[in-house]
Coordinates of all heavy atoms in Angstrom, one line a residue:
R1 N -90.8 -25.6 -3.7 CA -90.8 -26.3 -4.9 C -90.4 -25.4 -6.1 O -90.9 -24.3 -6.3 CB -92.2 -26.9 -5.2 CG -92.4 -27.6 -6.5 CD -93.8 -27.9 -6.8 NE -94.4 -28.8 -5.8 CZ -94.4 -30.2 -6.0 NH1 -93.9 -30.6 -7.1 NH2 -94.9 -31.0 -5.0
T2 N -89.4 -25.9 -6.9 CA -88.9 -25.1 -8.0 C -88.9 -26.0 -9.3 O -88.7 -25.4 -10.4 CB -87.5 -24.6 -7.7 OG1 -86.6 -25.7 -7.5 CG2 -87.5 -23.7 -6.5
G3 N -89.0 -27.3 -9.2 CA -88.9 -28.1 -10.3 C -90.2 -28.5 -11.0 O -91.3 -28.0 -10.5
P4 N -90.3 -29.4 -11.9 CA -91.5 -29.8 -12.6 C -92.4 -30.6 -11.7 O -92.0 -31.3 -10.8 CB -90.9 -30.6 -13.8 CG -89.7 -31.2 -13.3 CD -89.1 -30.1 -12.4
S5 N -93.7 -30.5 -12.0 CA -94.7 -31.3 -11.3 C -95.0 -32.6 -12.1 O -95.7 -33.5 -11.6 CB -96.0 -30.5 -11.1 OG -96.5 -30.1 -12.3
S6 N -94.6 -32.6 -13.3 CA -94.9 -33.8 -14.2 C -93.6 -34.1 -15.0 O -92.9 -33.2 -15.4 CB -96.0 -33.5 -15.2 OG -96.1 -34.5 -16.2
I7 N -93.4 -35.4 -15.3 CA -92.2 -35.8 -16.1 C -92.3 -35.3 -17.5 O -91.3 -35.0 -18.2 CB -92.0 -37.4 -16.1 CG1 -90.6 -37.7 -16.7 CG2 -93.1 -38.0 -16.8 CD1 -89.5 -37.2 -15.9
D8 N -93.5 -35.0 -18.0 CA -93.7 -34.5 -19.3 C -93.2 -33.1 -19.5 O -93.0 -32.6 -20.6 CB -95.2 -34.6 -19.7 CG -95.7 -36.0 -19.8 OD1 -94.9 -36.8 -20.2 OD2 -96.9 -36.3 -19.5
E9 N -93.0 -32.4 -18.3 CA -92.4 -31.1 -18.4 C -90.9 -31.1 -18.5 O -90.2 -30.0 -18.7 CB -92.7 -30.3 -17.1 CG -94.3 -30.1 -16.9 CD -94.6 -29.4 -15.6 OE1 -93.7 -28.7 -15.1 OE2 -95.6 -29.7 -15.1
V10 N -90.3 -32.3 -18.5 CA -88.8 -32.4 -18.5 C -88.4 -32.9 -19.9 O -89.0 -33.8 -20.5 CB -88.4 -33.5 -17.5 CG1 -86.9 -33.7 -17.5 CG2 -88.8 -33.1 -16.1
D11 N -87.4 -32.3 -20.5 CA -86.9 -32.7 -21.8 C -86.5 -34.2 -21.8 O -85.9 -34.7 -20.9 CB -85.7 -31.9 -22.2 CG -86.0 -30.4 -22.5 OD1 -87.3 -30.1 -22.7 OD2 -85.1 -29.6 -22.5
L12 N -87.0 -34.9 -22.9 CA -86.6 -36.2 -23.1 C -85.1 -36.3 -23.5 O -84.8 -35.7 -24.6 CB -87.5 -36.9 -24.0 CG -87.3 -38.4 -24.2 CD1 -88.0 -39.2 -23.1 CD2 -87.8 -38.9 -25.5
I13 N -84.3 -37.0 -22.8 CA -82.9 -37.2 -23.3 C -82.8 -38.3 -24.2 O -83.2 -39.4 -23.9 CB -81.9 -37.4 -22.0 CG1 -82.1 -36.4 -21.0 CG2 -80.5 -37.6 -22.5 CD1 -81.3 -36.6 -19.7
P14 N -82.3 -38.1 -25.4 CA -82.2 -39.2 -26.4 C -81.3 -40.3 -25.9 O -80.3 -40.1 -25.3 CB -81.6 -38.5 -27.7 CG -81.9 -37.1 -27.5 CD -81.8 -36.8 -26.0
R15 N -81.7 -41.6 -26.2 CA -80.9 -42.7 -25.8 C -79.4 -42.6 -26.4 O -78.4 -43.0 -25.8 CB -81.5 -44.0 -26.2 CG -82.7 -44.4 -25.4 CD -83.1 -45.9 -25.8 NE -83.5 -46.0 -27.2 CZ -84.8 -45.8 -27.6 NH1 -85.7 -45.4 -26.8 NH2 -85.1 -45.9 -28.8
Q16 N -79.4 -42.0 -27.6 CA -78.0 -41.9 -28.3 C -77.1 -41.0 -27.4 O -75.9 -41.4 -27.3 CB -78.2 -41.3 -29.7 CG -76.9 -41.1 -30.4 CD -76.3 -42.4 -30.8 OE1 -76.9 -43.3 -31.3 NE2 -74.9 -42.4 -30.8
A17 N -77.6 -40.0 -26.8 CA -76.7 -39.2 -26.0 C -76.2 -39.9 -24.7 O -75.2 -39.6 -24.2 CB -77.5 -37.9 -25.6
L18 N -77.0 -40.9 -24.2 CA -76.6 -41.6 -23.0 C -75.8 -42.8 -23.3 O -74.9 -43.2 -22.6 CB -77.9 -42.0 -22.3 CG -78.8 -40.9 -21.7 CD1 -80.2 -41.3 -21.4 CD2 -78.1 -40.4 -20.4
F19 N -76.2 -43.6 -24.4 CA -75.6 -44.9 -24.6 C -74.7 -45.0 -25.9 O -74.1 -46.1 -26.2 CB -76.7 -45.9 -24.6 CG -77.4 -46.0 -23.3 CD1 -78.7 -45.6 -23.3 CD2 -76.8 -46.6 -22.2 CE1 -79.4 -45.7 -22.1 CE2 -77.5 -46.7 -21.0 CZ -78.8 -46.2 -20.9
G20 N -74.7 -43.9 -26.7 CA -73.8 -44.0 -27.8 C -72.4 -43.9 -27.4 O -72.1 -43.7 -26.2
N21 N -71.5 -43.9 -28.4 CA -70.1 -43.8 -28.0 C -69.8 -42.5 -27.3 O -70.4 -41.4 -27.7 CB -69.3 -43.8 -29.3 CG -69.0 -45.2 -29.8 OD1 -68.7 -46.1 -29.1 ND2 -69.0 -45.4 -31.2
P22 N -68.9 -42.5 -26.3 CA -68.5 -41.2 -25.8 C -67.7 -40.4 -26.9 O -67.1 -41.0 -27.7 CB -67.6 -41.6 -24.6 CG -67.1 -42.9 -25.0 CD -68.2 -43.6 -25.7
E23 N -67.7 -39.1 -26.8 CA -66.9 -38.3 -27.7 C -65.4 -38.5 -27.5 O -64.7 -38.7 -28.5 CB -67.3 -36.8 -27.6 CG -66.5 -36.0 -28.7 CD -67.1 -34.6 -28.8 OE1 -68.3 -34.5 -29.2 OE2 -66.3 -33.6 -28.5
R24 N -65.0 -38.6 -26.3 CA -63.7 -38.9 -25.9 C -63.7 -39.5 -24.5 O -64.5 -39.1 -23.6 CB -62.7 -37.7 -25.9 CG -62.5 -37.2 -27.3 CD -61.5 -36.0 -27.2 NE -61.3 -35.4 -28.5 CZ -62.1 -34.4 -29.0 NH1 -63.2 -34.0 -28.4 NH2 -61.8 -33.9 -30.2
A25 N -62.8 -40.5 -24.2 CA -62.8 -41.1 -22.9 C -61.4 -41.7 -22.7 O -60.6 -41.8 -23.6 CB -63.8 -42.3 -22.9
N26 N -61.1 -42.1 -21.4 CA -59.9 -42.7 -21.0 C -58.7 -41.9 -21.5 O -57.8 -42.3 -22.1 CB -59.8 -44.1 -21.6 CG -58.7 -44.9 -20.9 OD1 -58.0 -44.4 -20.0 ND2 -58.5 -46.2 -21.4
V27 N -58.7 -40.6 -21.1 CA -57.6 -39.7 -21.5 C -56.4 -40.0 -20.7 O -56.4 -40.1 -19.4 CB -58.0 -38.2 -21.4 CG1 -56.9 -37.3 -21.8 CG2 -59.3 -37.9 -22.2
Q28 N -55.2 -40.0 -21.3 CA -53.9 -40.3 -20.6 C -52.8 -39.4 -21.2 O -53.0 -38.8 -22.3 CB -53.6 -41.8 -20.8 CG -54.5 -42.7 -20.2 CD -54.1 -44.2 -20.4 OE1 -52.9 -44.5 -20.3 NE2 -55.0 -45.1 -20.6
I29 N -51.7 -39.4 -20.5 CA -50.5 -38.7 -21.0 C -49.4 -39.7 -20.9 O -49.3 -40.5 -20.0 CB -50.2 -37.4 -20.2 CG1 -49.1 -36.7 -20.8 CG2 -49.8 -37.8 -18.7 CD1 -48.9 -35.2 -20.3
S30 N -48.6 -39.7 -22.0 CA -47.4 -40.7 -22.0 C -46.5 -40.4 -20.8 O -46.4 -39.3 -20.4 CB -46.7 -40.6 -23.3 OG -46.2 -39.4 -23.6
P31 N -45.7 -41.4 -20.4 CA -44.8 -41.2 -19.3 C -43.8 -40.1 -19.5 O -43.4 -39.4 -18.6 CB -44.1 -42.6 -19.1 CG -45.2 -43.5 -19.6 CD -45.8 -42.9 -20.8

């Protein structure tokens, strides 16, 4: 065992980081 024994030991990830706009997405190069 190397991880936490309780969820409270884990950093809470803000909803904004998960569901806010991506910083960049759908990257393409022109033909």
Side-chain angles (χ1 to χ4, degrees):
R1 175 189 294 267
T2 59
S5 59
S6 166
I7 192 63
D8 293 329
E9 299 174 28
V10 180
D11 289 342
L12 187 82
I13 303 175
R15 286 189 299 269
Q16 179 68 40
L18 292 160
F19 298 109
N21 279 323
E23 185 167 295
R24 294 178 180 88
N26 194 2
V27 181
Q28 300 181 34
I29 190 166
S30 60

